[in-house]
Amino acid sequence: MATGEYGDSGYVLEDVPHLSDYIHDLPTYPNPLQDNPSYSVVKQYFVNEDDSVTEKIVVHKHSPRGTHFRRAGPRQKVYFKSDEVLACIVTCGGLCPGLNTVIRELVCGLHNMYGVNKVLGIELGFKGFYSRNTVTLTPKDVNDIHKRGGTILGTSRGGYVTSKIVDSIQDRGINQVYIIGGDGTQKGASVIFEEIRKRGLKVSVVGIPKTIDNDIPVIDKSFGFDTAVEEAQRAIDAAHVEAESAENGIGVVKLMGRYSGFIAMYATLASRDVDCCLIPESPFYLDGPSGLFKYIKRTLRENGHMVIVIAEGAGQELLSDSMQDKNLQQDPSGNKLLPDVGHWLSQKIKDHFKEKGKLDLNLKYIDPTYMVRAIPSNASDNVYCTLLAQSAIHGAMAGYTGFTVGPVNGRHAYIPFFRITEKQNRVVVTDRMWARVLSSTNQPSFLDLNDAISNEANEAKPAQKQ
């Protein structure tokens, strides 16, 4: 782990490792970009070594300058000769829009910017290092893969042996490793880097953070998130059409978000057709004052229809004991296999109003999860993936290693692995963005049930005479 560098006024640089930290007297070479005609017109193209990006952009005038990260970008000196580079790319974890774009831009960026012509693709995740044959990747091979969803390399979760991976890297002569995946993958990348450093190998290990849920901390957002929100909105539109076309119509849409409700929150704000948004960070309850059932009844009475968006991790504490038993199961990455909360909620709503006998509901349940994951990235994410890939390449060529790349306050930076994996980014329900959701939907905030009962009792009391 790189140590922090401290400066004046509380300035802290959370630096990333460099090959020269453990391999001494490494030769350096002029950056090939200085002779690249495409970049010759760029003034001050090379990044100053002392440039950094601040983690917090809003500070009080008397507060310390705070934590910074090393700014991403090309350096004047590189630590690899172009014709000596043998790079590899691996994708791990679940699918996400933009994976193929990142692969494409890594291959093309290495070739077009630095003249690197030897790039290998590792098939089916980490274990592909030692259990599968590699594939050669050239700019021609990846030319149009950004137009497809998924990953041309395949992917898998967990189930790998670090020593075997590093053995494969060493045996093949690979000296740049680009690892695309979520927090679990980045933890694996960190362990691989430590083993490489332990062996004293001249190998740069670079992580490119991927999570469709946008739950990776520090960075502004993860690639594929914009595309996911856009596609999720289409599902919400369909639910709204179904709901408003029937008497007492209800559309329930389940979106991704195991621990973080960003997709549900942003899709709700983008749509404006949602009447209730349920996320893991904001517990809700069904019965009682300010409960979901009461809100559904009121909304149907006033509007005749409604749309409910629920993130997959919301309301898990409410599920029945029989369904909770499934929570004990885990996928190969160690994630709990959550029962389908969307199906459960839909059935609960039907049962409740059937028992009351007052409303004949027309409920439609939509789960677009795999459609959202499998589509190609949109224009915004394509550009973002290009910047991620190129920032990663610049860092590896400059000799940095053991880092993840991503935008911090709009500027790309090199971030130590531990900052990416130490916690998950979650919706702050006391923040303005969640307040905007509550304002847009007019849903209850689902306060503590006892508080809600007390509030309702107080409202029901007749006003005292003066």
Side-chain angles (χ1 to χ4, degrees):
M1 181 189 301
T3 57
E5 180 179 318
Y6 299 86
D8 298 333
S9 304
Y11 174 95
V12 179
L13 176 65
E14 288 200 346
D15 209 353
V16 298
H18 194 275
L19 293 173
S20 61
D21 294 342
Y22 62 91
I23 304 176
H24 302 297
D25 301 320
L26 279 174
T28 60
Y29 313 95
N31 194 319
L33 279 174
Q34 66 188 20
D35 301 317
N36 189 317
S38 297
Y39 293 91
S40 61
V41 297
V42 181
K43 295 181 179 179
Q44 298 178 336
Y45 187 73
F46 295 114
V47 171
N48 189 297
E49 288 295 334
D50 292 329
D51 283 355
S52 62
V53 179
T54 181
E55 181 174 17
K56 291 185 178 180
I57 198 169
V58 178
V59 295
H60 191 272
K61 65 180 181 179
H62 299 303
S63 63
R65 292 178 64 190
T67 300
H68 289 62
F69 302 101
R70 192 171 290 277
R71 184 184 174 190
R75 269 58 176 175
Q76 285 188 309
K77 298 292 184 181
V78 296
Y79 282 74
F80 293 93
K81 283 185 176 180
S82 299
D83 58 359
E84 293 177 353
V85 173
L86 175 56
C88 75
I89 304 168
V90 62
T91 54
C92 304
L95 294 183
C96 175
L99 281 169
N100 277 335
T101 308
V102 176
I103 295 169
R104 181 190 190 279
E105 297 310 319
L106 284 171
V107 174
C108 293
L110 283 163
H111 180 270
N112 296 334
M113 293 190 298
Y114 288 97
V116 173
N117 296 312
K118 294 180 288 185
V119 183
L120 300 176
I122 307 299
E123 293 186 319
L124 294 178
F126 277 143
K127 63 185 179 182
F129 275 100
Y130 53 85
S131 65
R132 306 278 297 190
N133 291 325
T134 59
V135 293
T136 301
L137 300 175
T138 68
K140 184 177 180 180
D141 295 328
V142 300
N143 183 54
D144 62 352
I145 63 171
H146 62 294
K147 300 175 184 177
R148 306 181 224 164
T151 164
I152 62 165
L153 298 177
T155 184
S156 64
R157 296 182 184 272
Y160 58 88
V161 181
T162 302
S163 60
K164 287 186 177 182
I165 291 175
V166 179
D167 286 344
S168 175
I169 291 170
Q170 191 170 2
D171 293 343
R172 295 175 190 271
I174 294 169
N175 50 23
Q176 290 185 11
V177 182
Y178 296 94
I179 299 172
I180 311 167
D183 58 348
T185 301
Q186 302 304 309
K187 288 176 183 175
S190 179
V191 174
I192 291 169
F193 156 70
E194 292 295 345
E195 179 64 22
I196 284 173
R197 177 160 64 175
K198 180 180 172 183
R199 299 189 190 187
L201 304 178
K202 185 187 175 184
V203 179
S204 283
V205 179
V206 184
I208 298 176
K210 176 230 65 170
T211 167
I212 202 169
D213 292 345
N214 198 37
D215 58 1
I216 289 181
V218 182
I219 64 174
D220 296 343
K221 66 177 179 179
S222 52
F223 75 82
F225 176 70
D226 281 354
T227 305
V229 171
E230 191 176 287
E231 188 67 14
Q233 189 181 341
R234 292 191 178 96
I236 293 172
D237 291 344
H240 182 246
V241 170
E242 288 285 352
E244 70 175 356
S245 299
E247 184 179 10
N248 295 323
I250 298 178
V252 177
V253 181
K254 186 189 78 172
L255 298 175
M256 286 157 293
R258 178 181 294 273
Y259 303 110
S260 304
F262 287 103
I263 291 179
M265 179 174 72
Y266 276 82
T268 293
L269 282 174
S271 169
R272 299 290 177 172
D273 286 328
V274 178
D275 300 288
C276 188
C277 177
L278 305 172
I279 61 174
E281 296 89 338
S282 181
F284 66 94
Y285 51 93
L286 300 177
D287 294 295
S290 294
L292 182 60
F293 290 152
K294 189 170 184 178
Y295 175 61
I296 291 173
K297 183 178 180 180
R298 184 173 76 245
T299 303
L300 291 177
R301 184 173 64 246
E302 294 174 356
N303 300 333
H305 65 275
M306 76 178 298
V307 175
I308 300 171
V309 168
I310 184 166
E312 62 181 318
Q316 291 293 324
E317 69 279 1
L318 299 177
L319 299 184
S320 65
D321 292 337
S322 60
M323 295 187 75
Q324 283 284 11
D325 290 342
K326 296 181 182 179
N327 260 349
L328 300 177
Q329 301 177 18
Q330 296 181 335
D331 66 20
S333 294
N335 298 313
K336 291 181 179 179
L337 296 178
L338 302 180
D340 187 343
V341 70
H343 176 76
W344 171 84
L345 179 63
S346 299
Q347 194 60 49
K348 279 289 185 181
I349 294 171
K350 290 178 182 178
D351 292 344
H352 173 81
F353 287 98
K354 184 177 182 180
E355 289 175 7
K356 298 297 180 181
K358 294 182 179 179
L359 286 176
D360 185 16
L361 300 182
N362 286 282
L363 188 147
K364 300 293 189 296
Y365 172 47
I366 298 175
D367 179 359
T369 299
Y370 295 107
M371 293 175 62
V372 171
R373 285 173 23 143
I375 63 172
S377 52
N378 63 12
S380 172
D381 274 322
N382 273 337
V383 173
Y384 179 28
C385 290
T386 299
L387 299 179
L388 280 174
Q390 292 188 0
S391 294
I393 293 166
H394 292 318
M397 292 298 295
Y400 294 108
T401 182
F403 70 90
T404 288
V405 65
V408 180
N409 296 318
R411 292 284 186 177
H412 281 244
Y414 299 141
I415 306 162
F417 279 134
F418 77 91
R419 285 302 310 274
I420 292 294
T421 59
E422 65 184 354
K423 63 179 181 179
Q424 287 180 312
N425 191 27
R426 307 193 74 194
V427 173
V428 179
V429 294
T430 55
D431 204 357
R432 289 190 184 92
M433 190 59 78
W434 183 243
R436 293 183 182 108
V437 171
L438 298 181
S439 175
S440 172
T441 61
N442 291 316
Q443 70 188 66
S445 60
F446 298 110
L447 299 169
D448 179 80
L449 181 56
N450 293 328
D451 290 342
I453 293 173
S454 177
N455 290 341
E456 186 176 72
N458 290 332
E459 291 174 2
K461 289 180 180 179
Q464 293 183 353
K465 294 181 180 180
Q466 299 294 324

